[in-house]
Amino acid sequence: MKMVEIVMPTNLHIKPTLTFNPSASISTWHLRKKPRGTKTRKLGAVFASISTSSHDTIGEELWPRSELCGNNKEKRASKKRVFFLDVNPLCYAGSTPSLHSFAHWISLFFSQVSLTDPVIAVLDGEGGSEHRRLLLPSYKAHRRKFSRKSSAPQKYPSERSHVVTDILTKCNVPVVKIEGHEADDVVATLAGQVLQNRHKVVIASPDKDFKQLISEDVQIVLPIAELNRWSFYTLKHYISQYNCDPCSDLSLRCIMGDEVDGVPGIQNVVPGFGRKTALKLLKKHGSLQNLLDAAAVRTVGKQYAQDALTKHADYLRRNYEILALRRDVDVQLKEEWLVERDRCNDLIILSNFFKLLEQSKRPTYRRGSHSKIDQAPIGKL
């Protein structure tokens, strides 16, 4: 029986006991450095090339006083926005586990992005990637290799998870973690249920896998390390960047592969089959399945492409099964997750968290090493 872990917020109001000075409480210079292996390095030009409204790019002020506790209520669109917070990527600075990174990004997120809109946080469940690894052993293999080489104590991931969950629930954010499922699949499933309730979905994550969900009612908001802010990524941004419909995003990635996640593309077996060919065929046929069905009964392109699609059809279908986000996870959206978030606790909870991090010995960041605060046991906040 799989374990479903849902931690609900307490909805308590906590009286502040200290004043938070965002400019003095914590150094975040290392978070502004360009992390290795970043998935957003080419997005700056995309954002700059598109004229956006005032809420499309997020400014630098950390705690606007007028917005605390909902004193400054904005005019909302006709459809309510529901945010999904993909927690795991925020807990890393590059490839190094970092509670500093988590504290930095959620402080910006709560104060400048989600405000009082509902937020649902999702964590990876234990063994969440196993069904994909059974299909393809190389799936996220580099991440397992990194974990084995990590010098952090074995208890560290569990302790970090408890700290993160504690902070989020005290900020009135429900936390969902389901054994045997990656956070991406849980988000995709719950997002579908939110859309059925006629709300808009905003997914806070740097993970490119979520681009397959983009539509008029589904947006992504990305943590851009180079700019030290969150930026919205919409259907308009996607079309400008890729010059194709996001409905073809998953099919294109199945053909081209995903080097970061260890999923090989068709060019590994047919070197001449490149992105240009894939885009041309998908624009004509719409999806990978339609393309494979057509190639099975007639010629759909040049001979090398035709041979690749017929000979390696199972190869491409396997990629689809691995890269497609599942939308059938056994989890149900709760009505209380859709109410306006009470943010009156944010200032004191995050201030104390920053203070705890600063009270520990300031970490020394070296390539391939962990900070002392991130390795140390974390006491009660």
Side-chain angles (χ1 to χ4, degrees), residues 230-258:
W230 291 86
S231 289
F232 280 81
Y233 186 89
T234 67
L235 177 62
K236 186 176 181 180
H237 292 103
Y238 183 93
I239 294 173
S240 175
Q241 184 178 10
Y242 294 107
N243 194 29
C244 69
D245 193 290
C247 294
S248 301
D249 180 80
L250 176 59
S251 296
L252 180 61
R253 288 181 59 221
C254 292
I255 296 173
M256 301 309 299
D258 188 327

Side-chain angles (χ1 to χ4, degrees), residues 276-293:
K276 185 176 179 180
T277 300
L279 278 172
K280 181 179 179 180
L281 292 171
L282 288 174
K283 283 184 177 180
K284 181 177 180 180
H285 296 278
S287 70
L288 176 63
Q289 188 58 56
N290 290 344
L291 177 58
L292 293 178
D293 289 345

Side-chain angles (χ1 to χ4, degrees), residues 148-339:
R148 288 194 297 267
K149 289 185 175 182
S150 173
S151 59
Q154 291 184 353
K155 289 185 178 180
Y156 170 74
S158 176
E159 290 176 351
R160 177 162 56 99
S161 178
H162 289 314
V163 171
V164 165
T165 299
D166 188 44
I167 293 294
L168 290 170
T169 54
K170 286 179 178 177
C171 289
N172 295 314
V173 175
V175 180
V176 182
K177 180 180 178 181
I178 301 181
E179 182 182 357
H181 293 284
E182 294 184 75
D184 299 8
D185 297 323
V186 178
V187 170
T189 299
L190 290 174
Q193 296 175 27
V194 169
L195 293 174
Q196 289 176 2
N197 280 268
R198 300 185 181 279
H199 301 317
K200 286 192 173 185
V201 170
V202 184
I203 302 170
S205 174
D207 194 336
K208 64 183 178 301
D209 291 346
F210 289 119
K211 289 182 179 180
Q212 62 189 265
L213 302 179
I214 285 182
S215 68
E216 289 289 351
D217 287 329
V218 180
Q219 300 177 348
I220 299 174
V221 61
L222 301 153
I224 308 295
E226 297 92 328
L227 304 177
N228 195 34
R229 69 188 183 198
W230 291 86
S231 289
F232 280 81
Y233 186 89
T234 67
L235 177 62
K236 186 176 181 180
H237 292 103
Y238 183 93
I239 294 173
S240 175
Q241 184 178 10
Y242 294 107
N243 194 29
C244 69
D245 193 290
C247 294
S248 301
D249 180 80
L250 176 59
S251 296
L252 180 61
R253 288 181 59 221
C254 292
I255 296 173
M256 301 309 299
D258 188 327
E259 185 178 354
V260 173
D261 284 345
V263 180
I266 199 169
Q267 65 271 21
N268 285 48
V269 289
V270 184
F273 201 124
R275 184 182 185 87
K276 185 176 179 180
T277 300
L279 278 172
K280 181 179 179 180
L281 292 171
L282 288 174
K283 283 184 177 180
K284 181 177 180 180
H285 296 278
S287 70
L288 176 63
Q289 188 58 56
N290 290 344
L291 177 58
L292 293 178
D293 289 345
V297 296
R298 66 176 185 273
T299 301
V300 296
K302 294 183 178 180
Q303 194 59 46
Y304 76 91
Q306 178 70 23
D307 292 343
L309 293 171
T310 52
K311 184 177 180 180
H312 301 289
D314 289 341
Y315 180 100
L316 295 171
R317 290 191 178 97
R318 180 206 62 187
N319 281 4
Y320 187 93
E321 190 169 353
I322 292 169
L323 294 173
L325 297 183
R326 296 183 59 178
R327 309 184 195 197
D328 60 350
V329 178
D330 187 14
V331 59
Q332 292 300 316
L333 186 71
K334 298 183 182 297
E335 193 66 31
E336 56 264 37
W337 296 353
L338 302 179
V339 301

Side-chain angles (χ1 to χ4, degrees), residues 355-373:
K355 184 178 179 182
L356 175 65
L357 295 174
E358 280 297 293
Q359 285 175 344
S360 300
K361 185 177 179 180
R362 188 177 296 276
T364 300
Y365 289 89
R366 295 190 303 271
R367 184 173 295 182
S369 67
H370 296 281
S371 69
K372 293 187 180 298
I373 179 62

